[in-house]
Amino acid sequence: MKLAVLVQLIFASLFGGLLLPAPIHAQTIDEDKLGAWYMYAFNYDRSDSPWGAQGDIQYRNWDTLGDLEQLLIRGGLTYRPASLMGKYTLGYANITSGAFGSSSRTLREDRVYQEALFPHRLGGRVYVRHRLRYEQRWVDYQDFRTRFRYGLFVDIPVNKTTLDKGDVVFIPIQRNFPQRGARYWAG
């Protein structure tokens, strides 16, 4: 069996059973609070190999600096098979979350995740990516849990027909969007 087919079967088996209907609980965002979200992301793809790496560091504060909301450090090994359109990732994340105010109490979470990213183009200027992510989560003082996430990313070049590295425009979609981090489009 070819490796590409094996990778497809693994992701299909992981995600297939997760597409059943389930209740959705949205996160509420308090728009009156001033906070900050600092983020660094990297993606390393080699031209001579299907293997690569990706990750990000996110530091979120309840105020502009110092009152920790969340520190997320995530990285993964990527595989881009020549016979398939897409990128597959196996990764790990460490998350430390803090409480609002003067409390120094934190909560630690460890995640192992599998991700599939499928890009395609609509017309000559619109780039669309579908991200499927399955996470296994170990959170302090809680039972083991899993989570399935779907991300839809739309990239539209504004003043040209292609996107270059560093071309980013953030556009709020709506005021009370339920998922933190899903309130922008980026290229």
Side-chain angles (χ1 to χ4, degrees), residues 6-177:
L6 181 60
V7 170
Q8 283 181 326
L9 289 174
I10 289 170
F11 274 94
S13 65
L14 285 173
F15 296 124
L18 300 171
L19 299 177
L20 301 173
I24 296 174
H25 304 283
Q27 298 174 356
T28 58
I29 298 171
D30 187 352
E31 296 290 337
D32 296 329
K33 302 286 183 200
L34 174 64
W37 182 358
Y38 307 99
M39 183 172 158
Y40 173 77
F42 71 90
N43 183 37
Y44 176 69
D45 288 326
R46 295 177 48 137
S47 60
D48 63 339
S49 172
W51 298 96
Q54 70 180 26
D56 59 299
I57 299 171
Q58 299 180 31
Y59 182 59
R60 303 174 187 170
N61 284 275
W62 294 106
D63 55 16
T64 54
L65 189 62
D67 190 4
L68 174 69
E69 178 190 358
Q70 189 175 77
L71 172 64
L72 181 145
I73 302 169
R74 175 176 36 218
L77 180 66
T78 63
Y79 179 69
R80 192 184 293 264
S83 60
L84 293 175
M85 185 71 153
K87 181 193 285 190
Y88 303 92
T89 305
L90 175 63
Y92 167 79
N94 177 272
I95 298 96
T96 302
S97 299
F100 178 75
S102 61
S103 173
S104 62
R105 194 178 80 232
T106 60
L107 190 67
R108 179 187 162 124
E109 177 180 347
D110 293 289
R111 294 181 194 163
V112 174
Y113 69 94
Q114 302 80 43
E115 180 177 290
L117 186 67
F118 302 105
H120 62 95
R121 197 168 175 171
L122 297 174
R125 293 177 57 108
V126 179
Y127 300 86
V128 178
R129 289 172 287 146
H130 302 275
R131 183 187 69 200
L132 303 168
R133 183 184 290 163
Y134 181 54
E135 300 172 339
Q136 298 80 48
R137 305 171 66 200
W138 293 268
V139 181
D140 282 349
Y141 315 110
Q142 297 179 18
D143 293 334
F144 170 78
R145 50 181 70 182
T146 62
R147 176 168 62 186
F148 175 77
R149 301 177 95 176
Y150 171 78
L152 173 64
F153 305 94
V154 179
D155 301 326
I156 305 170
V158 179
N159 294 325
K160 49 191 169 182
T161 58
T162 60
L163 286 170
D164 298 322
K165 278 192 172 185
D167 290 347
V168 178
V169 176
F170 295 98
I171 302 172
I173 296 172
Q174 68 185 53
R175 184 177 172 106
N176 294 317
F177 203 80

